[in-house]
Amino acid sequence: MMKAYLTATAALALMATGAYAQDRNITVVLSQNVDLVDPCMSARQNVGRVVSENVNEMMVEFDYVDGGLKPRLATEWSQLDDDTWQFKLRDGVKWHDGTPFTAKDVAFTLERNKNPNLTCEVGGKYFGGMEFSVDIKDDHTIDITTNPPSPILPLLMTVMPIASATATPADELTRKPIGTGPYVFDQWNVGQSIVLKRNPDYWGEQPQVEQATYIARADSAVAAAMVQTGEADIVPSIAMQDATNPDTDFAYPNSETTYMRIDTRTAPLDDRRIREALNLAIDREAMIGTLLPEEAQIASQLVVPTTIGYNKDMKPWPYDPERAKELVEEAEADGVPVDTKILIVGRNNLFPNGTETMEAMMSMWQEVGLNVELQMNDVSVHNNYFVRPFNQDGVPTLTEAMHDNATGDPVFTAYVKYASDGIQSMVVNPELDKMIADATIASGDDRAAMWAEVFRVAENDIIANVPMFHMVGFTRVSPRLDYKPTIAANSELQLAQIGFR
């Protein structure tokens, strides 16, 4: 009898342990399949939400709640002169394969992100136009010199995940990232799921989530329903019409700005009058509260008002279709080939109701006399148009885009979007290039004023884009979780910040 009692008790204990373990596993539903997992591609939203600070950590962490910088893989930093910073690295940290983390890994990561054979989006987006040289003092001390000088290098280090020099290929993208973070990259069933498991040897505090499985559902309503029925735990991005449950749904300003990038190099878009007409033809007000949340703000530039250098004097383009028609007719009278087909390059699930927004804009442009055609694409095809080398084939394009600048300095925006060599730029303007270079090395009030002028020239004088909206995000979170999304949820989802109720 006693033996039977003990056996039953043991079975119950095992069942309880199994249930507890299951309770510590979560499922995250992304809006797009993850086609790449290399940490140097974490500037992509769907990659960053999986890899950043979970698998591969940054040297410095940006505090999205209170602002400022926090130590991560670097414990302290100091500026030695105008162009050199010294970083002290955390001792006792190991990569997931057991090898020690050292300054050599930092040097390797800097070099790899600038490798032209990889086209790393982190390197191209955040460090375009910047060259690095390093001096490794010892295993845990590294001096980093930049050209041009960077007065905000520690802030820049909050967006570059560090990769292992011994486990990461230098000239090709990895399919199994090795990191130092609280989670190990365990499985990748391409097109189906990714599984991260808690790192038992993590240098920091052990997080509560034991395992996270990432799946993708393009339909926002389906993804939201999965949390409602208990099939999933977090959907980082749902459409406003699906955010109907105040107990599970959170709205937050997500630092994203939606816009259409104009190919300023190709006729008829190389004529400023056509670019102005593109802006005047859009009824942005009509989209607020219908296609876009009521909390969204009409944008005049590519950064949100909290960004240093945001130009408060710039106003959103008015809705004036009659003037847009006049500009198109004037350009046509001067020989501009306005009947040339312009390809609208959309991206599936870039933001909720994105396809419907593109369709509405296409109709508005057609009404003012432009020959536009919409093509919606998955991210892999979209990037062929959006990121150098551009796959344009001589066809003028308007490319749907969304820009995140949560860390608050235009250095994360201006070069990649406006510079002649920017990885996403279709502007060729030496004068603007010089303005960007000068603002990059400035500090204090001068820095803010110079960036404000960069935005004015790029968006009002040149008209490089069709700015649309500063966005609001909606996240659905299971009631069993203790987690409240911040502005960071737009680009990363730190599993270590999730608890259980």
Side-chain angles (χ1 to χ4, degrees):
M1 184 73 173
M2 179 64 71
K3 181 178 180 180
Y5 173 79
L6 290 173
T7 302
T9 302
L12 287 171
L14 285 171
M15 290 172 62
T17 302
Y20 181 84
Q22 184 62 36
D23 281 347
R24 293 321 197 208
N25 297 344
I26 70 168
T27 298
V28 181
V29 185
L30 304 175
S31 61
Q32 305 170 53
N33 273 316
V34 180
D35 60 328
L36 297 169
V37 294
D38 195 294
C40 89
M41 303 300 286
S42 64
R44 292 190 188 180
Q45 186 181 68
N46 57 339
V47 180
R49 282 175 172 161
V50 177
V51 172
S52 293
E53 303 290 25
N54 291 324
V55 180
N56 292 84
E57 299 177 284
M58 319 297 184
M59 285 229 289
V60 183
E61 183 177 355
F62 187 79
D63 188 338
Y64 288 96
V65 176
D66 299 320
L69 305 179
K70 300 191 297 186
R72 191 82 183 215
L73 289 178
T75 56
E76 57 183 284
W77 46 88
S78 58
Q79 190 168 13
L80 302 182
D81 53 46
D82 286 346
D83 53 5
T84 302
W85 288 78
Q86 184 172 93
F87 292 84
K88 296 287 187 178
L89 306 181
R90 194 177 296 277
D91 197 359
V93 175
K94 291 186 177 181
W95 294 98
H96 294 155
D97 62 3
T99 57
F101 161 68
T102 71
K104 291 181 180 178
D105 298 304
V106 175
F108 167 78
T109 301
L110 293 171
E111 181 178 359
R112 185 172 186 266
N113 269 268
K114 300 293 290 182
N115 186 338
N117 297 322
L118 284 182
T119 317
C120 285
E121 289 205 20
V122 170
K125 182 175 180 180
Y126 300 123
F127 299 91
M130 181 178 293
E131 299 299 327
F132 296 100
S133 59
V134 301
D135 182 7
I136 297 176
K137 298 297 185 182
D138 55 51
D139 280 352
H140 298 98
T141 307
I142 186 170
D143 293 352
I144 302 175
T145 300
T146 64
N147 181 24
S150 175
I152 60 165
L153 187 61
L155 178 64
L156 285 169
M157 290 297 104
T158 67
V159 297
M160 182 180 283
I162 304 302
S164 165
T166 58
T168 308
D171 294 313
E172 62 183 48
L173 297 177
T174 182
R175 296 179 61 83
K176 187 173 177 58
I178 300 294
T180 58
Y183 291 89
V184 175
F185 192 90
D186 184 60
Q187 299 176 35
W188 183 19
N189 300 310
V190 179
Q192 299 182 38
S193 64
I194 288 176
V195 177
L196 305 186
K197 288 189 175 180
R198 191 168 64 183
N199 174 15
D201 300 317
Y202 182 53
W203 60 265
E205 183 178 347
Q206 281 288 305
Q208 293 186 40
V209 174
E210 293 187 354
Q211 176 177 299
T213 301
Y214 298 81
I215 59 177
R217 296 291 184 272
D219 190 312
S220 168
V222 170
M226 291 177 69
V227 175
Q228 200 76 14
T229 60
E231 295 178 73
D233 297 282
I234 297 180
V235 184
S237 179
I238 61 174
M240 64 173 183
Q241 64 265 26
D242 299 319
T244 57
N245 187 342
D247 294 330
T248 60
D249 302 339
F250 297 86
Y252 61 97
N254 64 7
S255 79
E256 290 276 18
T257 301
T258 58
Y259 68 102
M260 302 298 296
R261 185 195 61 191
I262 304 173
D263 180 1
T264 66
R265 313 163 306 164
T266 308
L269 301 179
D270 59 349
D271 190 286
R272 186 188 181 280
R273 291 168 294 187
I274 299 299
R275 301 197 294 273
E276 183 176 350
L278 288 168
N279 277 281
L280 294 174
I282 301 302
D283 188 354
R284 297 167 177 83
E285 289 281 359
M287 298 181 187
I288 298 290
T290 54
L291 294 173
L292 282 298
E294 292 184 359
E295 298 88 345
Q297 300 176 4
I298 297 176
S300 64
Q301 52 208 283
L302 298 193
V303 295
V304 295
T306 54
T307 305
I308 295 169
Y310 176 86
N311 193 321
K312 297 178 181 179
D313 295 329
M314 291 172 60
K315 305 300 180 186
W317 289 94
Y319 175 49
D320 191 344
E322 293 306 315
R323 178 56 183 156
K325 289 179 184 178
E326 292 175 0
L327 288 167
V328 172
E329 291 169 357
E330 289 174 13
E332 184 176 26
D334 288 341
V336 176
V338 299
D339 58 344
T340 300
K341 182 186 292 184
I342 300 169
L343 182 64
I344 304 172
V345 181
R347 176 173 152 184
N348 293 325
N349 303 307
L350 182 61
F351 59 88
N353 300 328
T355 298
E356 293 80 359
T357 302
M358 293 300 100
E359 291 171 344
M361 296 177 73
M362 176 179 65
S363 177
M364 294 173 190
W365 284 326
Q366 289 172 340
E367 288 177 4
V368 300
L370 293 171
N371 181 12
V372 292
E373 178 181 290
L374 175 61
Q375 172 184 297
M376 297 301 299
N377 308 280
D378 289 335
V379 60
S380 57
V381 176
H382 176 274
N383 273 349
N384 290 333
Y385 290 92
F386 189 52
V387 179
R388 291 180 187 271
F390 304 123
N391 180 28
Q392 304 301 120
D393 296 328
V395 177
T397 57
L398 298 166
T399 306
E400 180 191 12
M402 192 158 66
H403 176 56
D404 172 24
N405 191 333
T407 46
D409 190 280
V411 75
F412 295 105
T413 301
Y415 188 90
V416 65
K417 303 297 184 184
Y418 301 136
S420 297
D421 293 328
I423 195 173
Q424 297 171 3
S425 172
M426 284 189 161
V427 177
V428 179
N429 189 298
E431 292 181 6
L432 183 59
D433 290 343
K434 185 177 187 308
M435 293 174 65
I436 293 170
D438 291 343
T440 298
I441 63 176
S443 58
D445 292 342
D446 288 343
R447 185 180 186 87
M450 293 167 77
W451 281 130
E453 184 64 4
V454 166
F455 290 129
R456 186 195 66 77
V457 170
E459 298 297 345
N460 286 359
D461 290 358
I462 296 172
I463 313 182
N465 302 291
V466 180
M468 293 162 56
F469 305 98
H470 300 310
M471 300 292 279
V472 172
F474 295 92
T475 294
R476 176 162 287 187
V477 180
S478 168
R480 79 186 187 101
L481 300 186
D482 183 9
Y483 173 74
K484 186 174 181 179
T486 67
I487 197 171
N490 188 61
S491 56
E492 67 178 38
L493 181 63
Q494 289 199 44
L495 300 174
Q497 296 175 351
I498 298 173
F500 294 88
R501 298 188 187 279

